[in-house]
Amino acid sequence: MKRLALFVLILIVLAATAAIWIYTGVDRPYKGYEAAEQYVEVPPGAGPSSIGRRLVDAGVVRDVTSFRAAVWLSRQGRRLQAGEYRFDHPLSARQVIDKIARGEVYVRPITFPEGLTIKQMAALYESKGFGTADAFIQAAKNAALIRELDPQAPDLEGYLFPNTYTLPRKATADQLIARMVGEFEKALTPEIRANASARGLGVRELVTLASIVEKETGNSAERPLVAAVYSNRLKIGMGLQCDPTVIYALERIGQYNGNLTRENLRFDSPYNTYRYAGLPPGPIASPGRASLAAAASPADAPYIYFVSRNDGSHAFATTLDEHNRNVQQFQRQYFADRHR
């Protein structure tokens, strides 16, 4: 009886010791790095042993034995996913494994709104700390990425799709640019291309028109109407007379100061649609999906004029007399009243 009691006591002691060891090595939070945060890269194909050594070297896990025990207990050894992981507070070995098994790789978001140029996107890219503006601009010169869609493209202006992108910490400008072009190709659906083709627009003409629509209105309901205005003008050979094209021409040579003057409207550039009829040589910004769809399928409307109502919407007109009345009401009278 005494031997049995002793045996039971030994088992209890061993179980308690094992429980303490498991808690200390597997379930007790640990932080062995001094910095506020630590990054660990898990290469593709890396096994649990290799991953464990990286985590121990980084001070994220106490020791390899604890990590192996946690892997065995969690039964997630085959679910550990590649990528870079960020650690900024104490975690147990089991919690670390759960994080890697879920694939919670560290990424940062960057959002490019519709209607930005390559130069403006580059400035945003740099301001968010992803890299230099010059690196973005250089990567955006890789017109080979869009060669099948637009053999004439000298760069990727208009083909970098505006969206929110999540990027690994070490992502390069080239990798981001390739993703943005890929998203553009998804947005340019077969239906949009077919509708544009039926109207006699190739991809470059479509994206150019869509970029003008994007710059002229942020009101999604108006985009088909704005597209109709410019499509109607193209049909009758009337100049587009689009301010954003002049602004783009001036920005290309660093001469736009935020104020468009009458003298600017005489600036000699193929992008100046006050001087040259038809579409400009290429896109003047990156259009979103709605503007691409509007350019491919404009509203069935007779309008050839529009003017801002100063509230985010526009007044559309078919005749010059009607347009002049709108200008008087929404521009001259509006600003006269504001200055009284």
Side-chain angles (χ1 to χ4, degrees):
M1 183 66 68
K2 290 183 178 179
R3 288 184 178 180
L4 179 59
L6 180 60
F7 179 71
V8 171
L9 178 61
I10 291 173
L11 288 179
I12 292 173
V13 171
L14 288 175
T17 302
I20 293 172
W21 180 82
I22 290 174
Y23 171 72
T24 302
V26 176
D27 288 326
R28 184 178 182 181
Y30 175 75
K31 179 178 181 291
Y33 49 92
E34 295 182 359
E37 57 186 8
Q38 180 69 285
Y39 296 90
V40 177
E41 181 75 28
V42 175
S49 296
S50 173
I51 295 172
R53 285 192 296 272
R54 286 174 176 265
L55 292 166
V56 170
D57 291 343
V60 174
V61 173
R62 189 182 304 276
D63 54 65
V64 173
T65 303
S66 298
F67 182 78
R68 289 175 177 172
V71 169
W72 182 78
L73 290 169
S74 68
R75 301 183 184 279
Q76 297 193 100
R78 294 186 178 182
R79 297 180 58 194
L80 303 182
Q81 301 181 45
E84 184 180 50
Y85 294 85
R86 176 178 178 266
F87 301 92
D88 61 357
H89 63 277
L91 292 175
S92 69
R94 198 193 299 264
Q95 289 172 324
V96 171
I97 289 169
D98 288 342
K99 182 184 182 77
I100 298 175
R102 288 193 300 267
E104 293 181 3
V105 296
Y106 179 70
V107 291
R108 291 187 297 159
I110 182 170
T111 299
F112 295 103
E114 291 89 348
L116 297 186
T117 63
I118 287 174
K119 186 176 179 180
Q120 291 167 334
M121 287 181 169
L124 179 60
Y125 175 79
E126 181 171 288
S127 72
K128 297 298 183 180
F130 286 93
T132 66
D134 184 63
F136 188 96
I137 291 172
Q138 291 302 315
K141 291 181 179 179
N142 185 11
L145 293 175
I146 207 72
R147 190 68 68 210
E148 291 186 9
L149 287 177
D150 182 2
Q152 298 177 337
D155 54 35
L156 297 174
E157 190 77 273
Y159 297 104
L160 303 179
F161 192 68
N163 206 344
T164 296
Y165 297 87
T166 53
L167 305 177
R169 194 166 55 100
K170 298 178 182 178
T172 65
D174 289 308
Q175 291 169 332
L176 172 58
I177 291 295
R179 283 183 60 187
M180 296 178 77
V181 171
E183 288 301 307
F184 169 82
E185 291 174 338
K186 292 178 184 178
L188 193 69
T189 63
E191 180 182 5
I192 288 177
R193 293 190 65 178
N195 290 339
S197 180
R199 302 183 65 84
L201 296 176
V203 171
R204 187 167 185 79
E205 290 77 19
L206 168 66
V207 179
T208 300
L209 179 56
S211 71
I212 291 175
V213 172
E214 191 69 66
K215 295 297 291 184
E216 286 285 20
T217 181
N219 187 327
S220 59
E222 285 190 347
R223 290 188 177 110
L225 292 174
V226 172
V229 168
Y230 287 120
S231 295
N232 291 336
R233 288 190 174 196
L234 289 171
K235 284 180 184 178
I236 63 177
M238 180 179 177
L240 298 187
Q241 298 183 356
C242 170
D243 289 357
T245 64
V246 182
I247 292 172
Y248 181 76
L250 294 170
E251 286 179 335
R252 281 167 59 91
I253 59 172
Q255 290 189 9
Y256 182 61
N257 62 8
N259 182 36
L260 194 63
T261 66
R262 290 185 179 275
E263 183 180 355
N264 291 151
L265 300 183
R266 294 192 292 270
F267 176 65
D268 190 8
S269 166
Y271 284 93
N272 186 346
T273 54
Y274 280 88
R275 292 197 58 161
Y276 297 95
L279 289 168
I284 61 170
S286 285
R289 186 176 284 103
S291 291
L292 288 168
S297 301
D300 184 11
Y303 304 132
I304 55 175
Y305 301 100
F306 66 99
V307 65
S308 173
R309 296 177 185 266
N310 302 296
D311 63 358
S313 68
H314 294 81
F316 294 84
T318 303
T319 68
L320 182 58
D321 285 344
E322 184 183 0
H323 175 64
N324 286 337
R325 288 195 295 272
N326 289 337
V327 171
Q328 177 63 33
Q329 177 181 353
F330 296 111
Q331 293 295 307
R332 298 192 181 100
Q333 190 61 49
Y334 173 83
F335 287 106
D337 292 342
R338 282 174 60 95
H339 287 88
R340 284 180 180 176

